[in-house]
Amino acid sequence: MSVRTRIAPAPSGDLHVGNVRTALFSWAYARRHEGRFLLRIEDTDASRVSDEAVEATQEILRWVGLDWDEGPGIDGPYAPYRQSERRAIYEQALETLEARGHAYRCYCTAQELAERNAAARAAGRAPGYDGRCRHLGPDARRAFEAEGRSHVLRFPMPAGQTTWTDLVRGDITIAHDQIPDFALTRSDGGPLYVLAAAVDDVAMKLTHIVRGEDLVAATPRQMAIYAALDYPRESWPQFAHLPLLVGADHKPLSKRNGEVSLRHYRDAGFLPEAMLNYLALLGWSLAPDRELFTIAEMVQAFDLAKVSKNPARFDLKKLEAINGEKIRAMTEAELVVTLQPWMRGAGLSDDVGFLQAAVPLVQSRMVRLTEAPELLRFLLVAEEDFLVVDRELLGEAARPVLDAAIAALEPMPVWSAELAEAALRAALVEGLGLKPRNAFGPVRVAVTGRRISPPLFESLELLGRERSLRRLAQARADIDG
């Protein structure tokens, strides 16, 4: 059987970095084996999932380049791929389970369940459903229904244990006495995750389920459902549970200890190839000494057996370093096109000719695309809007530096980076005896407004003679007050 994998989000907000890492590993495994990758939307809980969130999920997956072979917008043999449109399939499975004695009606209210769980904790017992309704007789059921109580269907976990070979974690055994009878439906009859996922994973002929280790405990439940529905053993998928993602505090990654939204990183100026490269490193590596690779290289080498079992720490600095490397690896023409929407978004010109001249000055200085507009703003704003941000370098000590700089630059016959560098080095380093940092810092701030900018001499050339000298003169005048 050819490999078939899936990502099955329940979109209620922005896609989490953990979701995308799971999608990446699942996608890479399918691509590695020339299989099929599915997108299935788990939207049975209408109160949590919106159409906007479903579209946003697809948009982010498209942005990072994780294309799906079957799913929303790409019909396949097992459509529909939104669980809200598959309810009849789940209802049939529930009828089968109840008819075979593998599901029973539970009339316990949420308050009763909470009270019994609290009592169990107080007595030192593990909380969980206590089987109160497992053996209800017809009279008791009729009495509960006469009270107007709703019910859920629960699965009676059989005695014994479940053992499987996890493709990441190796052999796992979970005793069934650790698993209370679990709900298959909500009180309105709608299916819960454990049932819908179990039914769909087999119905869609999925061969490998890649997901987070937080779902290890769901695996015996799903396998018990497979058996209760008489699904042939060879139709059951294999499981691979990925290591936990943690923040800098080594606790599970969340909004409390790090930004988790993929949309945030897209909007913060990260390249999709950098995101995928970094997410791949959270539990896997191409080689011990390789941190940078293309996604094509990952696909060629990817193996679930080589995924680490240990928690993976999300490190923003490392992500930024990889993003910077990916930016530097782009051709100048590619970077020009990539930067155009960022320049427009900042209210600046996206002129191709200007960017072609400016990109070589900033490409090696960026770790995020959002830095380009700020690095180049001084070249594009009207003079009346030019703002000196790091004004502390333009104090009294800058007076002789600016005087010498203006005197050196004014007579230049041709305005070029090479001549500007020679003139300023002669006037400031040799003439005033200053170290380059002290010599060029005030000039840099006077013409760019910031301590950190594109290379000074190339910036002077792009800014032009008139604007450069005007800004130097204004900085000098500001010192005099």
Side-chain angles (χ1 to χ4, degrees):
M1 183 182 295
S2 63
V3 167
R4 290 175 62 80
T5 68
R6 51 85 162 163
I7 183 67
S12 57
D14 290 345
L15 211 55
H16 188 291
V17 292
N19 300 138
V20 178
R21 183 193 62 164
T22 299
L24 170 61
F25 284 18
S26 186
W27 175 89
Y29 191 77
R31 295 290 176 261
R32 171 73 177 81
H33 295 280
E34 299 182 351
R36 306 274 285 179
F37 174 67
L38 282 66
L39 171 61
R40 187 175 72 221
I41 303 298
E42 301 198 335
D43 59 346
T44 57
D45 186 353
S47 67
R48 295 182 64 247
V49 179
S50 67
D51 287 341
E52 293 77 14
V54 171
E55 180 52 43
T57 291
Q58 296 176 66
E59 178 191 350
I60 287 296
L61 290 175
R62 292 188 194 102
W63 174 69
V64 292
L66 298 181
D67 55 319
W68 54 95
D69 304 299
E70 299 172 28
I74 307 176
D75 278 343
Y78 306 105
Y81 293 93
R82 287 186 65 158
Q83 288 187 334
S84 59
E85 300 172 7
R86 299 175 61 83
R87 184 153 178 168
I89 297 171
Y90 311 135
E91 288 174 348
Q92 180 60 55
L94 290 165
E95 288 176 10
T96 299
L97 290 171
E98 192 171 15
R100 293 177 179 175
H102 294 301
Y104 63 89
R105 299 185 180 191
C106 172
Y107 295 88
C108 299
T109 67
Q111 182 177 345
E112 289 169 343
L113 292 172
E115 290 172 352
R116 298 207 301 266
N117 279 332
R121 291 189 188 94
R125 301 191 307 272
Y129 187 67
D130 58 6
R132 183 72 58 93
C133 293
R134 190 171 191 175
H135 302 294
L136 282 182
D139 291 342
R141 286 175 53 181
R142 282 193 291 270
F144 279 137
E145 288 169 3
E147 291 179 22
R149 290 198 185 205
S150 59
H151 69 270
V152 301
L153 283 180
R154 285 190 184 275
F155 189 93
M157 201 65 186
Q161 62 184 26
T162 295
T163 298
W164 76 96
T165 300
D166 192 275
L167 297 177
V168 171
R169 313 184 72 80
D171 291 342
I172 298 176
T173 297
I174 296 180
H176 291 179
D177 60 11
Q178 299 177 31
I179 305 174
D181 293 356
F182 54 92
L184 298 169
T185 67
R186 299 180 184 85
S187 58
D188 65 359
L192 289 170
Y193 165 81
V194 67
L195 175 90
V199 170
D200 283 345
D201 287 345
V202 173
M204 295 179 178
K205 299 193 183 307
L206 295 169
T207 60
H208 298 80
I209 305 303
V210 182
R211 59 189 186 181
E213 67 173 15
D214 56 314
L215 289 171
V216 166
T219 303
R221 294 172 169 86
Q222 289 177 275
M223 289 184 171
I225 292 172
Y226 299 159
L229 289 170
D230 286 337
Y231 292 155
R233 188 65 182 80
E234 61 271 17
S235 72
W236 297 13
Q238 298 182 70
F239 288 86
H241 290 92
L242 304 181
L244 188 68
L245 289 187
V246 298
D249 56 2
H250 300 286
K251 294 180 180 179
L253 187 66
S254 70
K255 290 183 178 180
R256 292 186 301 275
N257 60 5
E259 180 55 60
V260 297
S261 160
L262 244 290
R263 181 181 299 276
H264 164 82
Y265 291 103
R266 183 193 67 178
D267 295 346
F270 289 91
L271 292 165
E273 52 267 39
M275 288 302 310
L276 291 185
N277 188 154
Y278 180 63
L279 291 176
L281 292 173
L282 297 178
W284 180 85
S285 64
L286 183 65
D289 58 347
R290 282 282 302 275
E291 289 195 335
L292 295 173
F293 44 81
T294 66
I295 298 308
E297 288 174 319
M298 177 189 179
V299 166
Q300 189 173 12
F302 187 72
D303 185 352
L304 285 167
K306 293 182 179 178
V307 174
S308 171
K309 304 177 184 66
N310 300 320
R313 186 167 70 89
F314 192 93
D315 184 343
L316 179 59
K317 293 297 184 185
K318 190 169 183 179
L319 171 58
E320 287 182 328
I322 288 174
N323 201 56
E325 292 290 345
K326 295 293 184 181
I327 289 173
R328 288 186 282 280
M330 299 174 77
T331 67
E332 291 180 3
E334 289 171 338
L335 188 52
V336 165
V337 173
T338 300
L339 290 181
Q340 283 185 298
W342 293 96
M343 299 298 287
R344 289 195 297 270
L348 299 173
S349 170
D350 64 350
D351 177 72
V352 171
F354 166 76
L355 286 174
Q356 286 173 336
V359 154
L361 308 186
V362 299
Q363 186 165 13
S364 64
R365 284 168 160 73
M366 291 189 295
V367 295
R368 301 189 188 200
L369 298 173
T370 46
E371 294 174 292
E374 294 313 307
L375 286 169
L376 298 174
R377 183 178 297 277
F378 76 97
L379 294 166
L380 296 166
V381 296
E383 287 306 301
E384 59 269 23
D385 296 326
F386 174 67
L387 177 66
V388 175
V389 177
D390 298 322
R391 186 168 292 278
E392 61 272 17
L393 278 189
L394 298 180
E396 187 65 32
R399 186 194 303 270
V401 176
L402 296 179
D403 283 340
I406 294 169
L409 294 172
E410 275 185 332
M412 278 173 34
V414 176
W415 193 260
S416 70
E418 293 78 11
L419 290 180
E421 179 176 7
L424 290 175
R425 286 191 183 278
L428 306 180
V429 178
E430 299 169 14
L432 298 181
L434 299 174
K435 292 182 178 180
R437 176 186 294 273
N438 297 328
F440 302 138
V443 179
R444 181 187 302 277
V445 172
V447 297
T448 71
R450 298 175 180 272
R451 292 172 179 265
I452 299 173
S453 75
L456 174 59
F457 311 116
E458 288 80 359
S459 295
L460 287 167
E461 180 176 319
L462 277 179
L463 190 60
R465 179 192 299 271
E466 182 182 346
R467 287 199 293 166
S468 297
L469 292 173
R470 182 188 303 140
R471 291 183 185 181
L472 286 166
Q474 183 60 55
R476 175 63 179 80
D478 288 343
I479 294 173
D480 289 341

